[in-house]
């Protein structure tokens, strides 16, 4: 409690900040979790004595952001306008400022003296009878994070009186990467074009960049690498640097530092040199000049990200140099400016001989970097993907985390759902990330979980932390699916504090995003928490990999696509068994890259966790799991279960009709309906493929025999002709029918089962190269019509475009005709796979 001399500056005039509260607009998702919607009366009751004044000690861009955000948030949630003052006057006040400054102004407040960089303290004090809420940061950015933390408390209905809460981030690096191309496209982005670039330049209007900065700052993210790691050399050229400066400026008020991805061959490609050999002095000079020039215009640039010797990117191997040579030459140019170089650990050969059973892409990272530990400069950070392959639905922690002890490292997590449904499916990722972060690599005397290794705590490395590949786009809701924003939020929250539970994060996010009605929280958080298990069930379970089209768009099923090619994501399924043998005893030896204690866990079939069984071992289909089920029966059962879970998401979401706003309710419903349909596509494709390959029948007799399903090929067809679908498992019966008559085609059959109200399912393909029209009629009456204009990622009929339309509760009589009429458009021949009456 403070008494005595309180204010350095006294008696200054009060200034009212106006125009900051937003009018109630339609909910677009643009504000993400920062809506600051008015609290319910019940929730608001506990803030009746909330201060009416805000005092900012000191002045800077970031401090002003913090102050304005508090004004905005309080006005939105509590409906009261904070008065900005230089001193508190007679009433209660919120006081914000850097710790040193607040300490001088408010005596007696228990502000910690050892806050870490970006840390803050939310506290309270009583001074001259006035109650103060204090937001003290280690420095200005900490104040901003503290302001957001205070606002979060209010949006969660948590008390703000008597505060004494200290928070320090787990690690200094909490960055996002955006794989944006300068032409405005985004590699693995699923929500429209780039907010940063267009037409080979930085966009003229950077409003969305500053809005993004706000979202990032609210969860403690302090850096953003804006361009694709498959980098365009133009980004560091003299003519482009002023444009970078504009991006940095848009982020600066939010404490987000700009970074860019670079191309290793730049000295040759844009520097006019004959070489890009990292040991060549001319090359070193090129990097120095280039870096100095950028810092002259962007003095707070965070640094560079480099993808080299991977997936066709040039790297040090061109000159037989090491990754350390490559990293250090650039890091040395950055060091005098305080910049860092992220060197990506994602280095592997995508032309491996698949016939050699000892070859294994999972080994690549450790094989490439093990011997280089200790040879990287102090401002180099190895950026390591969570798993040894590539963001699959389930992977073990990368053994590289436990291998390097003298090299700074960060974990790279993928927020954009490249292999996980591309935001057309909801897959809430914190539970998956936490499995890796909490995994004990057993490389020290005490526990060494990945979260401690990457935050630099273990082995005492100064730089470390978390990088999330986010790939937000111009779509108003940033990631395409409103619910997917829980992943951006969750990434930031975990990067700040990996000890937070997935449940806590889901609850926070749901409440902030959709409001404080308890039904919202229960339903939304419930769906989120079950979504990763559901997706794993209907895509690839037991650690087999996602089973998507590995050499293509990574969306729909494509079981065999990962086999017999150099990309190395093999699962080795054949007539007898399935799984990659990565044991030391008989396999690729990958397991031997872990510490002995972890290796022995994975090496033995008896102790290997079953969710990773097929990642580590090759077993016969008849291998019995601990449940007593065979592997093959488990595969069938999980796929049915997963599809049921996805279907239940729809009915659960429907309980929120009228509880959440109409716009977001309908948009989420649409995605969940699509997901439920696509989960059936997944289920059937994977199960049919395994039943045919293994020749072991589903003991419950479901696979390949869906009640009520009639193949399009067996309907009575007018104009439609049968066509093979590739891969075969992505069409029921391996075939569809297509219509090449511009006047349209029809498929009919007579309903033979019992009369009653039934759901009619039409399974068709919605290719990206046309918008065919469909009409469904029963006994001549139209019961539905639609246009196939969903934005799905392929021009052919396959697992990426297979789509389901369900018409619910249609009254059907025995003997009535069900008729589907279709008109092709563009290059899309109105494809139809089957009709099902349920
Ligand atoms: O996941 C794979 C993606 C590539 C990506 C690469 C990488 C940016 O399919 O699109 O390239 O990883 O992380 O470098």
């Amino acid at each position: 409690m403070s008494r005595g001399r309180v204010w350095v500056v006294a008696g200054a005039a009060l200034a009212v900040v106006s125009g900051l509260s937003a009018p109630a607009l339609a909910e677009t998702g643009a504000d993400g979790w920062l809506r600051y919607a008015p609290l319910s009366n019940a929730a608001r009751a506990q803030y009746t004595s909330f201060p009416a004044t805000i005092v900012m000690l000191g002045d800077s861009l970031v401090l002003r952001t913090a102050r304005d955000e508090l004004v905005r948030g309080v006005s939105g949630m509590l409906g009261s306008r904070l008065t900005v003052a230089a001193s508190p006057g007679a009433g209660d006040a919120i006081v914000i400022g850097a710790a040193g400054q607040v300490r001088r102004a408010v005596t007696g407040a228990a502000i910690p003296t050892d806050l870490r960089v970006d840390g803050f303290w939310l506290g309270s004090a009583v001074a001259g009878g006035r109650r103060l809420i204090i937001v003290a940061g280690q420095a200005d950015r900490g104040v901003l994070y503290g302001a957001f933390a205070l606002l979060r408390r209010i949006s969660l209905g948590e008390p703000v009186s008597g505060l004494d809460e200290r928070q320090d981030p787990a690690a200094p690096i909490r960055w996002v990467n955006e794989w944006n191309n300068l032409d405005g496209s985004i590699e693995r982005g699923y929500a429209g074009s780039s907010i940063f670039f267009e037409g080979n330049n930085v966009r003229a209007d950077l409003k969305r960049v500053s809005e993004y900065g706000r979202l990032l700052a609210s969860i403690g993210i302090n850096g953003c690498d804006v361009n694709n790691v498959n980098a365009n050399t133009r980004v560091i050229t003299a003519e482009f640097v002023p444009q970078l400066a504009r991006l940095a400026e848009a982020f600066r008020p939010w404490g987000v530092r700009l970074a860019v991805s670079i191309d290793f061959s730049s000295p040759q490609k844009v520097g006019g040199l004959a070489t890009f050999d990292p040991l060549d002095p001319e090359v070193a000079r090129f990097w120095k000049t280039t870096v100095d020039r950028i810092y002259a215009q962007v003095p707070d640039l965070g640094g560079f990200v480099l993808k080299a010797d991977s997936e066709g990117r040039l790297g040090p191997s061109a000159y037989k140099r090491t990754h350390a040579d490559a990293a250090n030459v650039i890091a040395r140019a950055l060091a005098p400016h305080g910049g860092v170089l992220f060197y990506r650990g994602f280095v592997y050969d995508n032309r491996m001989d698949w016939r050699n059973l000892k070859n294994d892409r999972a080994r690549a990272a450790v094989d490439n970097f093990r011997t280089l530990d200790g040879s990287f400069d102090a401002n180099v950070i190895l950026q390591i993907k969570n798993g040894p392959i590539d963001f699959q639905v389930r992977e073990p922690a990368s053994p590289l985390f436990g291998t390097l002890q003298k090299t700074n490292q960060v974990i790279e997590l993928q927020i954009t759902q490249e292999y996980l449904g591309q935001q057309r499916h909801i897959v809430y990722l914190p539970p998956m990330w936490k499995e890796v972060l909490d995994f004990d690599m057993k490389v020290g005397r005490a526990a060494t979980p990945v979260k401690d290794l990457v935050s630099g705590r273990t082995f005492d490395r100064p730089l470390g932390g978390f990088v999330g590949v986010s790939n937000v786009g111009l779509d108003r809701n940033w990631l395409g699916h409103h619910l997917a924003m829980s992943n951006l939020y969750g990434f930031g929250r975990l990067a700040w504090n990996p000890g937070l539970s997935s449940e806590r994060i889901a609850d926070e996010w749901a409440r902030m995003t959709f409001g404080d009605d308890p039904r919202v929280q229960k339903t939304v958080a419930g769906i989120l928490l079950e979504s990763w298990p559901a997706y794993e069930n209907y895509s690839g379970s037991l650690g087999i990999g996602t089973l998507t089209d590995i050499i293509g768009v990574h969306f729909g099923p494509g079981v065999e696509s990962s086999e017999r090619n150099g990309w190395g994501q093999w699962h080795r399924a054949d007539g007898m068994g399935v799984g990659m043998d990565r044991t030391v005893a008989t396999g690729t030896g990958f397991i031997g890259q872990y510490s002995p204690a972890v290796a022995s866990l994975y090496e033995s079939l008896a102790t290997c966790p079953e969710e990773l069984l097929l990642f580590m071992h090759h077993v016969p289909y008849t291998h019995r799991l601990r449940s007593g089920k065979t592997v093959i029966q488990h595969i069938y059962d999980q796929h049915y279960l997963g599809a049921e879970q996805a279907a239940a998401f729809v009915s659960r979401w429907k309980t929120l009709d009228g509880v959440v706003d109409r716009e977001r309710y309908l948009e989420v419903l649409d995605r969940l309906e699509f997901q439920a349909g696509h989960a059936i596509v997944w289920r059937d494709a994977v199960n049919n493929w395994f039943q045919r390959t293994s020749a072991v029948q589903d003991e419950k007799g479901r696979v390949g025999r869906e009640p009520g399903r009639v193949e399009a090929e067996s309907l009575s067809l007018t104009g439609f002709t049968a066509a093979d679908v590739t891969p075969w498992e992505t069409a029921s019966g391996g075939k569809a029918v297509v219509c090449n008559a511009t006047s349209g085609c029809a498929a009919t059959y007579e309903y033979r089962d019992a009369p009653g109200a039934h759901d009619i399912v039409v399974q068709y393909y919605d290719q990206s190269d046309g918008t065919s029209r469909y009409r469904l009629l029963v006994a001549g009456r139209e019961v539905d019509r639609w246009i196939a204009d969903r934005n799905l990622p392929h021009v052919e009929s396959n697992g990426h475009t297979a789509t389901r339309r369900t018409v619910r509760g249609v009254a059907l009589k025995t003997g009535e005709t069900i008729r589907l009429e279709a008109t092709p458009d563009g290059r899309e021949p109105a494809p139809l796979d089957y009709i099902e009456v349920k």
Side-chain angles (χ1 to χ4, degrees):
M1 297 288 129
S2 88
R3 293 187 57 232
R5 189 184 73 92
V6 179
W7 298 103
V8 178
V9 186
L14 304 186
V16 176
V17 173
S18 59
L20 281 169
S21 71
L25 293 172
E27 295 276 6
T28 59
D31 282 324
W33 52 88
L34 297 178
R35 288 162 59 248
Y36 301 142
L39 295 189
S40 64
N41 289 340
R44 196 180 308 184
Q46 65 170 310
Y47 306 111
T48 43
S49 54
F50 198 79
T53 305
I54 181 164
V55 179
M56 177 175 91
L57 300 174
D59 189 18
S60 74
L61 199 54
V62 170
L63 278 180
R64 272 176 265 150
T65 308
R67 179 198 61 196
D68 294 350
E69 191 69 24
L70 280 165
V71 173
R72 174 176 176 175
V74 167
S75 139
M77 291 187 285
L78 304 181
S80 55
R81 187 66 54 81
L82 284 174
T83 301
V84 175
S87 72
D92 299 347
I94 305 177
V95 179
I96 70 170
Q101 209 135 11
V102 181
R103 213 174 286 121
R104 281 193 295 279
V106 186
T107 51
I111 305 171
T113 50
D114 58 346
L115 287 171
R116 289 171 64 171
V117 174
D118 290 346
F120 60 83
W121 180 71
L122 300 183
S124 52
V126 176
R130 294 167 296 219
R131 274 174 306 173
L132 307 178
I133 293 178
I134 298 173
V135 181
Q138 177 267 348
D140 295 357
R141 209 164 47 200
V143 179
L144 179 59
Y145 298 153
F148 277 114
L150 182 62
L151 290 168
R152 182 182 307 127
R153 280 189 154 270
I154 300 173
S155 37
L156 298 177
E158 292 170 356
V160 296
S161 59
L163 282 176
D164 180 8
E165 178 186 339
R166 173 204 178 133
Q167 284 199 36
D168 292 298
I173 293 166
R174 304 175 307 277
W175 284 32
V176 285
N177 282 185
E178 313 290 334
W179 292 347
N180 287 214
N181 299 313
L182 302 196
D183 66 4
S185 62
I186 303 178
E187 181 156 347
R188 316 299 179 185
Y190 310 107
S193 315
S194 172
I195 63 171
F196 305 104
F197 308 108
E198 137 185 270
N200 231 17
N201 288 306
V202 167
R203 291 173 58 85
D205 178 2
L206 296 182
K207 186 162 171 278
R208 291 293 300 275
V209 176
S210 85
E211 287 176 11
Y212 188 42
R214 174 172 175 253
L215 287 170
L216 296 178
S218 76
I219 45 176
I221 291 174
N222 58 10
C224 179
D225 176 57
V226 288
N227 64 308
N228 193 350
V229 290
N230 294 324
N232 187 320
T233 48
R234 174 168 156 78
V235 80
I236 54 168
T237 56
E239 50 157 352
F240 203 76
V241 177
Q243 306 201 36
L244 290 182
R246 290 184 50 237
L247 287 175
E249 193 183 315
F251 274 143
R252 199 166 284 129
W254 303 102
V256 175
R257 289 173 85 181
L258 179 78
V260 290
S261 305
I262 52 164
D263 179 289
F264 191 63
S265 65
S266 296
Q268 192 179 64
K269 294 231 183 79
V270 294
L273 301 183
T275 176
F276 56 93
D277 179 352
L279 298 190
D280 186 299
E282 289 288 322
V283 168
R285 207 164 309 133
F286 165 85
W287 286 115
K288 183 172 174 353
T289 320
T290 302
V291 167
D292 288 348
R293 189 174 54 220
I294 298 176
Y295 275 90
Q297 294 184 57
V298 189
D300 53 355
L301 185 89
F304 290 158
V305 181
L306 176 58
K307 172 176 178 180
D309 276 330
S310 169
E311 298 184 335
R313 308 301 301 177
L314 290 167
S317 68
Y319 301 94
K320 300 208 167 27
R321 307 300 188 202
T322 69
H323 298 296
D325 296 332
N328 292 345
V329 66
I330 304 169
R332 276 167 208 163
L334 290 163
H337 303 283
V340 293
L341 180 85
F342 292 83
Y343 198 90
R344 292 186 84 234
F346 186 64
V347 176
Y348 72 102
D349 173 12
N350 61 4
R351 288 172 305 251
M352 257 185 306
D353 183 0
W354 55 271
R355 282 158 300 216
N356 181 345
L357 295 181
K358 295 286 174 193
N359 277 347
D360 185 2
R361 169 172 168 182
R363 293 189 54 115
V366 170
D367 286 348
N368 275 303
F369 290 97
R370 187 175 36 91
T371 56
L372 296 174
D373 197 17
S375 40
F376 290 96
D377 278 14
N379 63 331
V380 175
I381 304 160
L382 212 59
Q383 181 164 323
I384 306 169
K385 291 192 184 188
N386 58 284
I389 298 277
D390 191 13
F391 302 134
Q392 299 300 288
V393 69
R394 170 86 64 170
E395 290 188 46
S398 169
L400 192 55
F401 294 122
T403 306
L404 305 174
Q405 308 203 343
K406 300 187 208 109
T407 307
N408 298 314
Q409 51 177 256
V410 288
I411 187 169
E412 180 181 306
L413 300 168
Q414 205 184 35
I415 298 161
T416 190
Q417 295 168 229
E418 175 181 356
Y419 293 91
L420 305 176
Q422 305 188 349
Q423 282 104 277
R424 296 177 183 96
H425 295 229
I426 179 61
V427 182
Y428 173 63
L429 297 166
M432 179 175 114
W433 295 334
K434 278 187 73 73
E435 291 228 345
V436 170
L437 292 171
D438 290 342
F439 185 78
D440 186 357
M441 300 296 283
K442 300 200 194 305
V443 290
R445 250 171 264 124
T448 50
V450 170
K451 61 187 172 199
D452 287 355
L453 289 164
V454 300
S455 61
R457 220 161 270 204
T458 318
F459 308 130
D460 204 17
R461 289 166 293 199
L463 289 175
F466 304 79
V467 170
V469 179
S470 145
N471 293 358
V472 296
L474 274 179
D475 284 4
R476 274 321 268 149
N477 68 4
W478 303 97
L479 285 171
H481 196 318
H482 292 291
L483 300 188
M485 286 293 271
S486 60
N487 289 324
L488 179 57
Y489 182 79
F491 168 76
R493 297 292 284 138
L494 285 177
W496 184 272
N497 176 6
L500 286 174
S501 72
S502 302
E503 291 77 10
R504 162 86 201 183
I505 296 169
D507 282 347
E508 284 182 9
W509 178 81
R511 180 161 180 154
M512 293 169 77
T513 303
F514 290 109
D516 54 15
D517 187 311
R519 285 171 293 180
V520 168
Q521 264 169 283
K522 190 167 154 278
T523 305
V524 176
I527 291 174
L528 293 183
L529 289 163
E530 277 175 45
S531 59
W532 174 46
Y535 190 83
E536 183 176 34
N537 287 339
Y538 63 74
S539 60
S541 51
L542 297 174
I544 192 174
T546 303
L547 297 182
T548 185
D549 174 16
I550 287 299
I551 45 184
V553 297
H554 303 175
F555 178 55
V559 184
E560 249 168 302
S561 64
S562 58
E563 291 299 300
R564 293 179 291 285
N565 63 53
W567 292 87
Q569 271 167 283
W570 311 309
H571 52 65
R572 305 275 191 217
D574 59 17
M576 305 302 296
V578 56
M580 271 291 283
D581 182 356
R582 294 191 158 105
T583 61
V584 175
T586 55
T588 68
F590 163 78
I591 290 174
Q593 294 184 333
Y594 289 95
S595 65
V598 172
S600 72
L601 177 81
Y602 289 147
E603 179 80 9
S604 150
L605 258 182
T607 55
C608 181
E610 278 181 341
E611 67 270 13
L612 285 170
L613 180 74
L614 305 180
F615 193 94
M616 304 291 179
H617 295 269
H618 184 84
V619 296
Y621 289 113
T622 51
H623 173 80
R624 294 224 172 251
L625 299 171
R626 279 159 218 147
S627 63
K629 256 186 215 178
T630 60
V631 163
I632 189 73
Q633 192 57 40
H634 181 86
I635 292 176
Y636 298 146
D637 288 353
Q638 293 312 102
H639 283 80
Y640 279 96
L641 174 63
E644 277 164 28
Q645 290 171 303
F649 295 161
V650 174
S651 39
R652 289 160 76 178
W653 180 256
K654 281 184 174 166
T655 65
L656 299 181
D657 191 0
V659 181
V660 306
D661 53 281
R662 201 75 198 140
E663 298 89 351
R664 292 185 301 166
Y665 171 76
L666 289 175
E667 283 163 15
V668 171
L669 180 62
D670 178 64
R671 299 242 165 181
L672 292 177
E673 298 249 30
F674 174 82
Q675 175 177 3
H678 204 221
I680 291 173
V681 172
W682 269 98
R683 176 195 80 188
D684 291 352
V686 175
N687 281 349
N688 280 314
W689 191 91
F690 275 99
Q691 186 163 273
R692 185 190 279 190
T693 306
S694 69
V696 182
Q697 297 298 302
D698 167 28
E699 61 191 31
K700 297 180 188 146
R702 298 157 298 185
V703 179
R705 275 186 235 123
E706 190 64 27
R709 184 178 293 186
V710 191
E711 294 299 335
E713 313 83 270
S714 66
L715 302 178
S716 124
L717 302 174
T718 317
F720 274 121
T721 51
D724 288 334
V725 169
T726 311
W728 65 268
E729 71 272 17
T730 58
S732 190
K735 283 188 195 313
V737 299
V738 293
C739 173
N740 286 309
T742 45
S743 55
C745 303
T748 53
Y749 75 108
E750 206 174 278
Y751 176 67
R752 283 265 137 250
D753 287 328
H758 291 276
D759 294 348
I760 306 181
V761 173
V762 177
Q763 184 76 29
Y764 64 105
Y765 296 90
D766 186 346
Q767 302 175 182
S768 58
D769 54 359
T771 51
S772 308
R773 286 161 190 274
Y774 296 85
R775 235 181 125 210
L776 183 69
L777 305 103
V778 170
R781 321 182 297 276
E782 178 180 294
V783 294
D784 195 14
R785 64 159 71 207
W786 68 96
I787 301 174
D789 59 356
R790 230 170 228 291
N791 183 16
L792 297 174
H794 213 275
V795 291
E796 277 160 33
S797 290
N798 54 29
H800 311 305
T801 52
T803 307
R804 214 170 154 86
R805 177 93 180 180
T806 304
V807 196
R808 297 190 200 281
V810 181
L812 275 179
K813 296 201 193 91
T814 316
E816 279 183 332
T817 301
I818 297 179
R819 178 179 170 88
L820 192 272
E821 295 179 356
T823 316
D825 174 68
R827 297 176 66 90
E828 181 185 68
L832 174 68
D833 186 6
Y834 60 80
I835 294 179
E836 208 171 271
V837 177
K838 305 185 74 75

